[in-house]
Amino acid sequence: LVPATTYYFKIFPYANTGAQINYKTDGPVPQVSKTTASLADGYFVAFEQEGESKPVYGAGTLSLGGISWNLTEVMTGDEASDFRIGNRSLRLRGYGTSEAAMLEDKMNGLGVLQFYYRRYGADAQVAWVAEYSQNEGESWTQIGDPFTAPSNDQVSKFTEIVNLTGSIRVRIRTQASTGTSNRRLNIDDI
């Protein structure tokens, strides 16, 4: 089983045992789901901890969950137009230079990268990519497909199984490297 993954089960009633078993399939079949626990050495950022706030765009560093991140054209948002699960979320501006990138390695690899995202306010959107690095940020490999927030207030979830061991970094950036129009995106619960 994969950590932090939801599995679905159907439970068929039956009568008898062994060769005489009789599964009852003529009525409603109960279903349940269960999500496996995250790894003990997992990493989670909800932007709610003391000091996890950057109130302006531009370049800057911020410690998130004990790891230093470079936030270029990124800030934390707590306004009415910001999608957020708690008090704050990450707001990426959508410029060609917008990125949130780990400046330090996360130990013990990466099993699943998951986060929630939605457009900021009513902004038009651009495509974004999530990437990982296993050489201290010298080169990056894309995780899954590019993603774009819907043009409504629907919250989406990015989930990709990576399953890599060792030291690793993550970054989220615009797919294009050009542009200076606000195409803001909120991300929460990485």
Side-chain angles (χ1 to χ4, degrees):
L1 299 178
V2 177
T5 301
T6 302
Y7 292 91
Y8 301 92
F9 306 91
K10 290 186 177 183
I11 304 167
F12 292 90
Y14 64 92
N16 303 322
T17 60
Q20 301 300 318
I21 198 162
N22 181 14
Y23 289 101
K24 307 295 182 190
T25 59
D26 55 343
V29 177
Q31 296 187 103
V32 296
S33 64
K34 183 67 178 170
T35 302
T36 54
S38 297
L39 295 175
D41 59 354
Y43 176 76
F44 181 76
V45 177
F47 308 101
E48 303 298 325
Q49 299 300 315
E50 179 88 20
E52 290 185 345
S53 178
K54 181 179 178 265
V56 295
Y57 290 116
T61 60
L62 187 62
S63 180
L64 299 170
I67 293 178
S68 184
W69 286 66
N70 172 52
L71 303 178
T72 300
E73 295 302 337
V74 176
M75 64 184 283
T76 53
D78 61 0
E79 297 175 359
S81 294
D82 284 299
F83 155 71
R84 58 191 187 281
I85 294 171
N87 295 317
R88 288 187 300 264
S89 63
L90 205 60
R91 186 193 313 153
L92 297 95
R93 196 168 196 177
Y95 283 18
T97 56
S98 295
E99 78 169 24
M102 287 180 171
L103 293 173
E104 302 172 49
D105 289 341
K106 176 201 166 298
M107 300 297 131
N108 302 313
L110 177 61
V112 176
L113 177 62
Q114 179 176 290
F115 53 84
Y116 295 90
Y117 64 94
R118 194 194 81 185
R119 69 179 180 170
Y120 169 85
D123 282 9
Q125 290 296 295
V126 295
W128 299 86
V129 291
E131 300 172 319
Y132 72 86
S133 174
Q134 290 190 294
N135 58 8
E136 298 180 335
E138 286 189 35
S139 62
W140 296 89
T141 301
Q142 187 171 310
I143 301 170
D145 294 325
F147 62 96
T148 304
S151 59
N152 56 35
D153 288 338
Q154 176 184 337
V155 176
S156 300
K157 182 164 79 169
F158 180 94
T159 303
E160 288 293 334
I161 298 170
V162 181
N163 281 343
L164 292 172
T165 59
S167 301
I168 198 159
R169 295 182 187 190
V170 170
R171 82 173 170 184
I172 300 166
R173 64 172 181 83
T174 54
Q175 185 179 27
S177 58
T178 61
T180 57
S181 296
N182 283 336
R183 304 283 192 244
R184 295 165 291 189
L185 175 80
N186 288 114
I187 291 179
D188 210 351
D189 287 3
I190 300 174

